[in-house]
Amino acid sequence: MSKMILCPTRGGKGSYPNQDRAIAIAKERGAEILFLYITNVEFLGLTAAPKLIDIEQEMDEMGEFMLAMAQERAENAEVKSSTTVRRGQFRKVLAKVIEEHQVGTVVLGSSAGGTGVVTEEYLQTLVDEIGAKTGVEFIVIDQGEIVNTYKP
Amino acid sequence: METRSTIHSLTLILYQRLHPVKRRNWFFALLFLIPLIFLLPGEATALPADLQQEIIEVVIVGRVVDSQGVPILDAEVLALTDQHNEPLAEAHSQEDGTWVLEFREIPFHQLRVIIEHPHFQSQTHYLQSDELSIFSEDDIIQIDDITLERQISAGFWVATIVFVGVLLLIAFELLHSTTAALAGVSIIFLTSYIGGAINPDFFIFTYERGLSYIDWPVVFLVMGMMIIIAIVEGTGIFQWLAFQAYRLSRGRTWLLVLILMLITAVASALLDNFTTMLLMTPISLQIGLALGMNPLALIIPQVLASNVGGISTLVGTPTNILIGAFAGISFTDFLVNQTVGVVLALLVMGVFVLWFYRKEFRQQSRGISPKLYKKLEENAQIEDPEGLWKSGIVFILVLIGFILGERIHLSLAVTAIAGATILLIWLKPDVPHMIKAVDWTTLVFFMALFMIVGAIQEVGLISLAAEGMSRLIGDNLVLGVFVIVFGVGTISTVIANIPLTAAMLPIVRFLTVSIPGAQNQVLFYALSMGAAMGGNGTLIGGEANLVTAGITEQANTPITFKEFLKIGLPVTYLTLIIGFLWLIFHFQVY
């Protein structure tokens, strides 16, 4: 199995415990960690105000900064890490990054206060679709604690 | 064709005015002229019939107004006698409510003048034979203004339900604002044409009448400003300013937040608050997180400042653009009459923010690591230095144009479009990209909204609301300012302020005319303050609030409704109090 661990994250204080746990798992396994930020500007869809600038570019830069912060945490824990910022639908981007980087394990944060992307149902779909196809393991973390593991 | 019609008219006038003897001579002259007329290019017309129709002996003129004295457009005016089943004459009222009944024969018997309009009760005015005897001395009779009382039709209810429905759809984000407004317009027109054909009671207004409610100068001003804003803000200036604010504050977060608030307030006054927050939120989030503090203590105060900062200029908020165009308030008027009030409101807001987030600001900043500092610096670079100075020069010229242009009645829309064009020529940006920068959905939203507000104006909802407010306020101008500032401010906390302002404009105009001392337009400024400051009340109160929350959500730092409410609501009422007191003092309304 590949030793690359993928940690999709949005950054921010709410993500720190989960990032730390993902880093700890990577250290435990002697694996490299890849932090992923997916730019999503769907929230602009319901406003009538004009979008006069390339907000995706701004969001990409914000994502890079969030990942730089995550990378700093990994460095402090002496875990090798890399980052990638992508645009698109979460499920599709995830599948693509798993394939490109030969990821063995995906560490996902559970739905933080209803704002995250991972619900039980959604996760099952991910495992069915991506897990079955690529053989990756999914670890779900909530507030830094492992709450579920899915192995295909 | 037009030339020939003019010759027809001249011929006719000569024919009518000349003495019978001279007419004979002219008759022969005309015999030569008429064939010449038919030699002119264009279609042939039946001259004799036309000639007959244009012979007007006498006219009756009048004016039709509603119960508030506002002229009624397009009322049908019919003149009938007991001797004729068909009207002797008919006309439609003009923009100023005037109508002219033209008679080809002098009516000497009693005459009934019936005035009808789908949204008013019909009115009949009788002209007795002694009044009509004036015609023996004069060609014209002018009758007093006729007042029509409103009637609540089925169309009234449809337009009202559509307006409220659109507001709710926008407020609860069930549909995109533009889609909601377009759906509303479609229902109004379908009801008018299909419903109106089945039952005239459903008629609201015609398509042409609906289009006449669109305020094109507003649409063009918004469009011109969109291009200018896209170029100026795309240079990276605001991200750079935010980073400089961090450097200047040297880790003192209380100072940092005040500088960031100042930047967003000024940027919102000169450009627009939505785009300003789109740019300021990501960089502020990065600074806040890197400093190890709650980034919302930097970001929420900026949203609050952006909603208030825009009030001081005509282009600062969409609501000010609407108010300026409707009430004829100039760019300079806004600056002179609002800026001090806005600065005072910002000062009070700043003090409250420092108190509210005192725990966050007391914490010692841990400083930013060299790696993150470098990354932050990268993200806050001026991306297009050449574009920045060029667009800066043009933008200053546009502002000067806004101020000086009013002396020669130069529309702001013309100045904005000219400025945008100069930038396009000088900077040579990717034109398709710049055309994409014009947010057509917003412009369509404005157009659809104008028609919906036109519909509720047409059916009488606005008049009813104006009468209700007039009864409540009476002649008390202080109460009027109070009701507008706090009433609109409170409603704006949950209802989108653009449609609310558009609907309030005719009401405020009525109050401005009816309340003694209100002719200095203080109520329009009260509307401007209320609509913008109210946007701070809740997370859904303003577009800038929503987009900021959308961005912070993407960094797992959500702004909850409750969290925003805790600071937003007190700030709203504090600033409304300052705004109210400023207007009362500045306009000496006491």
Side-chain angles (χ1 to χ4, degrees):
Chain A
M1 186 190 278
S2 161
K3 284 199 167 183
M4 177 70 84
I5 290 176
L6 177 64
C7 178
T9 182
R10 289 181 290 163
K13 282 191 173 177
S15 303
Y16 293 168
N18 293 349
Q19 284 177 6
D20 288 343
R21 186 67 193 210
I23 292 165
I25 293 169
K27 192 167 188 178
E28 221 174 77
R29 297 182 181 183
E32 187 184 335
I33 190 163
L34 172 64
F35 292 106
L36 165 69
Y37 182 90
I38 302 174
T39 299
N40 181 351
V41 290
E42 278 175 17
F43 61 91
L44 290 171
L46 286 170
T47 55
K51 293 98 199 170
L52 306 177
I53 48 161
D54 186 2
I55 185 63
E56 280 198 313
Q57 178 63 33
E58 297 300 321
M59 296 297 286
D60 285 350
E61 286 178 5
M62 186 177 88
E64 282 166 14
F65 190 84
M66 296 299 151
L67 297 188
M69 290 187 78
Q71 208 171 10
E72 204 170 53
R73 298 175 91 81
E75 273 171 21
N76 290 342
E78 295 172 340
V79 170
K80 196 180 170 194
S81 66
S82 52
T83 64
T84 182
V85 174
R86 301 291 175 97
R87 295 177 185 178
Q89 200 190 4
F90 182 80
R91 202 187 304 179
K92 285 182 184 167
V93 171
L94 198 65
K96 200 172 177 199
V97 173
I98 288 169
E99 198 183 328
E100 279 176 15
H101 292 268
Q102 296 171 337
V103 170
T105 304
V106 180
V107 180
L108 291 168
S110 71
S111 178
T115 63
V117 291
V118 183
T119 59
E120 192 68 27
E121 197 182 338
Y122 187 76
L123 195 66
Q124 197 56 56
T125 318
L126 279 183
V127 174
D128 291 346
E129 275 186 20
I130 304 169
K133 193 176 164 190
T134 59
V136 294
E137 170 195 26
F138 283 89
I139 298 174
V140 182
I141 310 173
D142 184 22
Q143 298 299 310
E145 298 300 323
I146 296 175
V147 292
N148 232 325
T149 305
Y150 296 86
K151 284 181 184 171
Chain B
M1 187 97 170
E2 209 172 76
T3 318
R4 199 164 55 208
S5 153
T6 311
I7 296 171
H8 279 187
S9 307
L10 286 170
T11 318
L12 176 68
I13 290 164
L14 283 169
Y15 186 80
Q16 283 180 290
R17 302 277 170 190
L18 289 174
H19 189 273
V21 177
K22 287 184 182 173
R23 275 185 188 169
R24 198 184 305 150
N25 297 338
W26 273 95
F27 175 72
F28 289 108
L30 286 173
L31 273 179
F32 289 100
L33 268 175
I34 289 166
L36 279 177
I37 292 164
F38 283 97
L39 285 174
L40 288 169
E43 291 172 31
T45 49
L47 180 67
D50 285 353
L51 274 171
Q52 284 301 314
Q53 281 177 11
E54 303 248 354
I55 300 171
I56 308 300
E57 291 287 351
V58 291
V59 296
I60 298 176
V61 298
R63 203 169 78 107
V64 57
V65 294
D66 67 10
S67 55
Q68 295 163 7
V70 177
I72 299 171
L73 172 70
D74 217 22
E76 191 174 21
V77 186
L78 302 168
L80 293 156
T81 61
D82 293 336
Q83 281 76 35
H84 297 84
N85 290 330
E86 292 294 312
L88 278 184
E90 52 186 291
H92 285 87
S93 60
Q94 305 301 304
E95 286 273 358
D96 59 356
T98 56
W99 48 265
V100 181
L101 284 172
E102 299 172 333
F103 296 87
R104 289 193 295 276
E105 57 183 79
I106 299 174
F108 281 117
H109 299 286
Q110 189 200 55
L111 199 68
R112 278 179 292 142
V113 176
I114 300 173
I115 303 188
E116 294 177 330
H117 191 284
H119 305 301
F120 292 89
Q121 292 168 25
S122 296
Q123 174 88 260
T124 305
H125 184 88
Y126 291 94
L127 280 162
Q128 304 301 335
S129 48
D130 56 328
E131 290 175 89
L132 294 169
S133 64
I134 294 172
F135 278 142
S136 56
E137 297 161 13
D138 205 349
D139 292 347
I140 187 166
I141 291 179
Q142 180 153 14
I143 61 175
D144 293 339
D145 284 359
I146 293 173
T147 303
L148 297 190
E149 294 298 327
R150 284 278 181 185
Q151 70 173 359
I152 305 295
S153 63
F156 172 93
W157 292 113
V158 172
T160 304
I161 290 166
V162 164
F163 178 68
V164 175
V166 168
L167 287 181
L168 292 176
L169 286 172
I170 295 172
F172 291 104
E173 295 182 18
L174 298 171
L175 275 182
H176 187 285
S177 309
T178 308
T179 315
L182 276 177
V185 169
S186 302
I187 293 170
I188 285 167
F189 281 131
L190 289 174
T191 306
S192 276
Y193 282 96
I194 299 173
I198 298 164
N199 181 350
D201 208 34
F202 278 100
F203 178 79
I204 297 169
F205 58 21
T206 61
Y207 173 65
E208 290 75 16
R209 181 74 176 138
L211 288 183
S212 74
Y213 278 103
I214 298 175
D215 196 332
W216 291 106
V218 167
V219 173
F220 279 96
L221 175 58
V222 172
M223 191 170 80
M225 288 306 292
M226 278 177 180
I227 296 174
I228 294 172
I229 291 165
I231 294 174
V232 173
E233 299 210 326
T235 58
I237 178 70
F238 293 103
Q239 296 92 323
W240 182 82
L241 282 172
F243 183 65
Q244 297 311 313
Y246 161 70
R247 288 180 59 180
L248 196 69
S249 65
R250 293 179 184 173
R252 286 167 291 183
T253 48
W254 63 269
L255 183 59
L256 175 63
V257 74
L258 292 180
I259 300 173
L260 289 175
M261 282 173 74
L262 183 68
I263 293 169
T264 47
V266 173
S268 300
L270 299 176
L271 299 159
D272 86 313
N273 61 343
F274 182 86
T275 314
T276 302
M277 284 317 297
L278 269 180
L279 292 170
M280 292 296 280
T281 306
I283 191 81
S284 303
L285 238 164
Q286 292 166 46
I287 292 172
L289 285 171
L291 284 171
M293 66 179 291
N294 174 11
L296 298 185
L298 294 179
I299 292 166
I300 294 178
Q302 285 182 72
V303 185
L304 303 175
S306 79
N307 282 328
V308 172
I311 301 172
S312 56
T313 69
L314 190 146
V315 294
T317 64
T319 49
N320 273 10
I321 292 177
L322 291 177
I323 294 167
F326 185 87
I329 298 175
S330 70
F331 190 84
T332 316
D333 290 338
F334 268 108
L335 273 179
V336 170
N337 295 316
Q338 305 265 74
T339 306
V340 177
V342 167
V343 170
L344 290 172
L346 285 170
L347 281 173
V348 171
M349 184 196 290
V351 172
F352 184 81
V353 161
L354 291 181
W355 174 80
F356 188 86
Y357 287 115
R358 57 193 179 282
K359 282 181 191 164
E360 277 84 353
F361 298 139
R362 262 188 214 143
Q363 278 174 3
Q364 192 63 38
S365 164
R366 70 175 181 205
I368 300 178
S369 70
K371 189 182 170 187
L372 292 180
Y373 185 88
K374 199 180 161 201
K375 187 80 195 152
L376 206 55
E377 202 173 21
E378 264 175 37
N379 289 352
Q381 269 180 354
I382 299 283
E383 287 167 18
D384 180 8
E386 190 192 351
L388 178 63
W389 71 261
K390 283 183 178 175
S391 59
I393 289 172
V394 174
F395 187 67
I396 290 167
L397 287 175
V398 167
L399 290 181
I400 293 169
F402 283 161
I403 294 166
L404 299 181
E406 61 203 45
R407 295 185 185 180
I408 52 167
H409 305 292
L410 179 65
S411 163
L412 296 186
V414 175
T415 309
I417 295 282
T421 311
I422 292 168
L423 276 179
L424 289 175
I425 294 169
W426 199 12
L427 279 170
K428 295 187 179 64
D430 179 18
V431 174
H433 174 73
M434 290 319 301
I435 295 299
K436 267 170 70 182
V438 175
D439 193 329
W440 301 101
T441 56
T442 300
L443 297 179
V444 173
F445 170 66
F446 266 96
M447 291 183 223
L449 178 68
F450 284 133
M451 287 194 270
I452 293 172
V453 173
I456 56 168
Q457 208 171 324
E458 195 84 7
V459 297
L461 178 63
I462 298 278
S463 297
L464 280 178
E467 277 170 19
M469 283 192 74
S470 183
R471 255 182 252 128
L472 173 76
I473 294 165
D475 286 348
N476 190 336
L477 187 53
V478 175
L479 183 61
V481 176
F482 181 85
V483 168
I484 301 282
V485 168
F486 287 93
V488 171
T490 303
I491 299 170
S492 290
T493 59
V494 283
I495 295 290
N497 60 6
I498 297 175
L500 177 67
T501 303
M504 281 299 295
L505 288 170
I507 298 174
V508 173
R509 178 175 58 190
F510 172 69
L511 296 174
T512 297
V513 173
S514 63
I515 300 176
Q519 289 71 34
N520 52 16
Q521 295 184 310
V522 60
L523 295 175
F524 282 107
Y525 293 109
L527 177 62
S528 160
M529 293 249 184
M533 289 172 173
N536 277 335
T538 66
L539 192 58
I540 58 167
E543 299 280 3
N545 315 359
L546 286 169
V547 77
T548 302
I551 293 172
T552 59
E553 172 89 42
Q554 297 310 306
N556 207 1
T557 314
I559 302 174
T560 62
F561 189 87
K562 195 176 160 189
E563 190 172 7
F564 192 92
L565 193 74
K566 273 188 201 166
I567 181 169
L569 209 56
V571 161
T572 296
Y573 284 100
L574 274 176
T575 50
L576 285 175
I577 290 168
I578 300 295
F580 169 71
L581 292 175
W582 164 251
L583 291 177
I584 295 292
F585 169 78
H586 180 67
F587 286 96
Q588 299 182 341
V589 184
Y590 39 77

